[in-house]
Amino acid sequence: MKEFLLDLAKLIVDKGKQLGYDDVVAKVVGTDEAMVKVANSQLTVAQIWRTVTLELYLAKDRKVVVVEAPIKERGDVDEILSNLGAYVKAVKESEIYAPLPEPSGKPLDGLVDPKVIDVMYRSSEVAAEVVSAAHNEGAEKVAGTLTLSIDRKALANSAGAEFYEEGTAVEAYLRAFYKDNSGHWAYGSRVLDMNALRDVGRKATLYAKLASNAVDIAPGRYDVVLSPLVVGNLMDVVAWTASAFYVLSGFSMFMKVKPGDEVASEEFTLVDDPLAKELAGSTGFDDEGVATRTKAIIREGRFESLLHNSKTAKVMNTKSTGNAGIIAPQPWNTVIKPGNYSEEELIREVKNGLFILNNWYTRLQNYVEGIFSTVTRDAVYKIENGEIVGVIKRVRIADTFLNLMKNIVGLSKSTYDIKWWEVPTPSKTPFILARDVNITKPTV
Amino acid sequence: MYEDVLYYAVDYALSQGATYAEARYHKNYGSEIIVRNGSVVSAGMLKREGIGIRVILEGAMAFSSTTDLSREGVRKAVDKAVSLARSSRPLIKRPHTLSDERVGKAKYEVVVKEKFEDIALEDKIKLMVALWSELPRVLRETKMVSLFEEYREGIEEKTLITSDGACVVSKVPRVFYGANIVLAHSQKGTLQRLIEFGGSGGYEIFRSWNIEDRLKEEVKNIEPVLAKGTEPPKEPVDVIIGSEVVGLIVHESAGHPMEADRIWGREAAQAGESYVKPEMIGKERIGNELATVIDDPTVPGSYGFYLYDDEGVPARPRYIYYRGLINEPLHNRWSAAVFGVKSNAAARAMDYTSEPLVRMANTYLEPGDRSFEELIEDIKLGIYVKSYMEWNIDDIRWGQRYVGLESYVIRKGEIAEPILYPVLEFTTKSFYSSIVAKGKELRFYPGTCGKGEPAQGIPVWFGGPDVRLSRMRVGVAPR
């Protein structure tokens, strides 16, 4: 497979150069993926895919054309390239352009867990163990998904890059129902760790059972303990809006800040870490063939760096950070530096507040100002004087990202590898405690 | 297209023990242009083409797909689906079945007046590039600091063959334009507006939108909101919700909770469940007599247009809520079998890698009989929320929040000063019970609705008239 994919990528680059393009990037990714989906504790569908996809970047006289298409064989290449002349002729010179940089990537090894490939066609059996773990803990019914995959990525470009990397991925999440409540947990890694997978079932159930008596709260400002599911979701937004392309496009709260500006409490450090091999976004080279590296977006509360490719870096007079996608820079893995608290201590720090396990539907009123709201799902627990005293249903965090991040006062020592429907970028995050966060709910 | 191979796939699956098999050739292809601040970032082509195979075998539903369109390619894809179904025994409780339907043998195509390829790419780009210099001409107190534009044109071609007789060939072209506008004021900060247009048809659809005029009107209207917008009234007031917001509300709080697979719990870990329980259907009320919500895939020119769904069932309008009654959920053939009813043709798949799921098409609140002036003429103090940016709704589709963008105070029956970020936060029942009058003009807006795992984004329209609600308290977003 390696030779096949790399050969295709190199062939496209050669043909592109022959056609007179200044820059050619061909990324060919072959993916095998199996997914088992469960609801009401039974299979709803089992799915399996094999795809080979080409992402192509071409530039001539600073005019940029991109293509995404399936590719099966060498014979497809001429057809893909044949229709692009009209595009190059029509488009204008791009302001977000730089010649391809010297290749410096260093493909990572050790990203494949053979167990993932071994069980791919028997993924229902693995899923059944996760379901059993939840039922053994007392769950009345569960819903969730187990996905096993291997990506084989070949990259060639006209600056001389020829890289290949392959990595497996495991993504599991489960929602466990218990009486009128539900809990949720997730796991995302390159490794098939059966204990971690069973923990998804166990923890989802345990979080559904922390309290059963319903209590109500009035809208207002509360101290909140946010689980890694919530932190992962919200910091996914922060990390993506740190992409310089989104800053240039008016979709970022980092439009108005410069390095060194205070954007969070000094307890808080958010890192993009492509070298965290256990997380499924890990890679040794970006889509321009540049070596990836670990960098802080926010370090100890201060904004440190956007995520750049060579093109956005040129526009903003800086250097690539090794985050190139075909057009827009992207985060690889979001990692939040842990703190000094145990998870129990974070709860004990709260006099009047909430423990929020899970959320979804994060939307922004204004990306530049970072005004957002997000809806809780599954259990929300009321905390009084350091103790969980009851369960609350479905409230909203409605605040600004700056307020939220500046009000962080504690993070747990423990971190969790999370990826799921609402946390698309692989993440490693602790629990966090933030003070005075605005909570709303329908009043009519 | 590829009918022989598709019939081969279905027959081969049956020979391997499947009790149901379907094979769908599915091709999405088109172009995209991205322009930022008057400069083309990139132009490009996107193509997805392959065959999706779905089987029911030994009670298990399994799906696989392939880009290899040869007999050998589809045979391997069928083998994988069959193998996966067989290995899924430990998780089978209720064996999968599909409802019996009179499936179609049909071919249809959206006829275009102007083919995309007949319009020079240069002309499409020229219009987009010009907006960066044209729009600021109508601004007086603010600057446009960012304009991000996206144009997409594409064609979706499908051929569906099922083991129970469906053979449906379709071709639907679609066009989309979206712009993200950021205005900045030296003292008041920024205001952001995302505006989108979409429909099925050729380039004539794009022309009909008069993008330059519409965007000029838009920035002209939102500038005072940033420059002069004040806080909304604190006391309860009459509320007029513009058709754009109404469309979003009915999509979120009528369409989604009435997807039968959600009601059963199939999406419980992803998009969630529904406040609607099976025993409520046809019996319980969610609103008053003015609350009629329809989902109709057959609206000509619509972004969610189709005549047969991806299980071969002929499309028709569905009356989701009828005069306040929780009336007719959206069904595919799987959910119809679970509920013991017939499918109403809601099965849609995004592309060849996607299983058909219960989806909306074009969802709207039935219009009323009032002009806009008649809606507001007797309001002493109220607000008018014309457009939005932020919104969300909980996972059972009950509690929801919409934050107004272009919004005004209504005073003595007239639109008065602009207000900044009014928040409407209500439950589904309170919204549909609070409608006191509806405008007569029905308008639609495009969206890409997400659902499923892997997530499938499919084109939809949502719409309605302007609506007047009874008095309610309005909040304000934090800044």
Side-chain angles (χ1 to χ4, degrees), chain A residues 35-51 64-70 72 79-80 83-84 86-87 89-96 120-125 127-128 131 141 143-145 171 173 175 177 184 221 245 248-251 255-256 327 360-361 363-369 371-377 394 396 398-400 403 420-421 438 440-444, chain B residues 30-31 34 36-37 39-49 60-68 80-81 83-84 87-88 90-94 96 121-122 125 129 145-146 148 180 182 189-192 194 252 262 264-273 352-355 389-397 399-401 403-405 421 425-427 430 451-455 472 477-479:
Chain A
M35 176 184 288
V36 175
K37 192 173 169 190
V38 171
N40 285 329
S41 297
Q42 55 189 293
L43 177 85
T44 55
V45 67
Q47 304 184 80
I48 193 155
W49 303 272
R50 166 166 281 196
T51 53
V64 175
V65 174
V66 293
V67 175
E68 185 186 321
K72 295 183 286 292
E79 189 201 331
I80 290 169
N83 300 320
L84 301 176
Y87 284 84
K89 202 173 147 202
V91 300
K92 310 280 184 191
E93 292 178 2
S94 176
E95 282 184 354
I96 307 176
M120 200 173 277
Y121 284 88
R122 295 179 285 115
S123 39
S124 290
E125 294 168 19
V131 170
K141 63 173 184 174
T145 298
E171 180 181 328
Y173 58 88
R175 186 179 186 193
F177 292 83
H184 190 110
R221 292 199 170 266
F245 184 81
L248 292 169
S249 305
F251 279 109
M255 275 178 87
K256 301 209 303 190
I327 290 289
W360 83 316
Y361 231 130
R363 290 289 186 280
L364 281 82
Q365 176 73 5
N366 184 321
Y367 282 80
V368 184
E369 311 292 345
I371 301 169
F372 79 101
S373 68
T374 190
V375 195
T376 70
R377 51 190 285 167
R394 296 183 180 87
R396 230 170 226 98
D399 216 316
T400 70
N403 282 345
W420 83 286
W421 212 61
N438 191 47
T440 71
K441 59 183 226 177
T443 50
V444 288
Chain B
S31 303
I34 293 175
R36 172 197 163 263
N37 295 356
S39 167
V40 180
V41 174
S42 67
M45 290 199 317
L46 178 90
K47 184 170 100 168
R48 292 182 179 189
E49 181 180 25
M61 179 97 76
F63 179 89
S64 71
S65 69
T66 178
T67 54
D68 184 344
K80 284 181 187 174
S83 164
L84 209 56
S87 72
S88 297
L91 288 170
I92 301 295
K93 283 186 184 169
R94 178 194 180 279
H96 281 85
L121 195 57
E122 285 90 339
I125 289 171
V129 165
V145 293
S146 184
F148 184 85
N180 174 50
V182 180
T190 63
L191 191 82
Q192 181 164 24
L194 198 60
E252 301 292 8
R262 289 179 78 112
W264 182 83
R266 195 180 194 267
E267 302 296 316
Q270 291 88 24
E273 298 186 301
Y352 74 95
T353 67
S354 305
E355 59 163 339
M389 272 292 287
E390 174 193 326
W391 87 99
N392 46 40
I393 185 164
D394 67 32
D395 58 312
I396 56 169
R397 303 278 159 178
Q400 55 214 282
R401 171 186 173 97
V403 184
L405 189 73
Y421 300 160
E425 200 158 349
F426 45 63
T427 65
S430 65
K451 184 180 175 182
E453 178 70 300
M472 64 173 63
R479 277 181 282 158

Side-chain angles (χ1 to χ4, degrees), chain A residues 112 121 344 347 425:
Chain A
V112 173
Y121 284 88
E344 297 73 21
I347 301 285
T425 307

Side-chain angles (χ1 to χ4, degrees), chain B residues 6 16 52 68-69 74 79 98 217 236 273 296 312 363-364 387 390 398 421 427 452 457 469:
Chain B
L6 299 173
Q16 297 303 298
D68 184 344
L69 307 179
V74 297
D79 284 340
L98 300 185
E217 182 191 347
E273 298 186 301
D296 184 0
T363 316
Y364 63 97
S387 62
E390 174 193 326
W398 188 252
Y421 300 160
T427 65
L469 302 181

Side-chain angles (χ1 to χ4, degrees), chain B residues 250-304:
Chain B
V250 297
H251 174 92
E252 301 292 8
S253 66
H256 275 306
M258 289 294 274
E259 294 163 343
D261 55 348
R262 289 179 78 112
I263 295 171
W264 182 83
R266 195 180 194 267
E267 302 296 316
Q270 291 88 24
E273 298 186 301
S274 175
Y275 79 87
V276 177
K277 303 301 168 202
E279 59 274 17
M280 296 161 72
I281 298 163
K283 296 190 175 69
E284 287 203 22
R285 302 187 68 80
I286 192 64
N288 61 32
E289 287 285 315
L290 297 178
T292 293
V293 178
I294 303 156
D295 185 273
D296 184 0
T298 68
V299 178
S302 61
Y303 206 36

Side-chain angles (χ1 to χ4, degrees), chain B residues 25-29 47-50 155-158:
Chain B
Y25 166 79
H26 202 146
K27 180 180 178 186
N28 306 71
Y29 59 105
K47 184 170 100 168
R48 292 182 179 189
E49 181 180 25
I155 296 175
E156 183 174 34
E157 292 180 11
K158 293 184 277 192

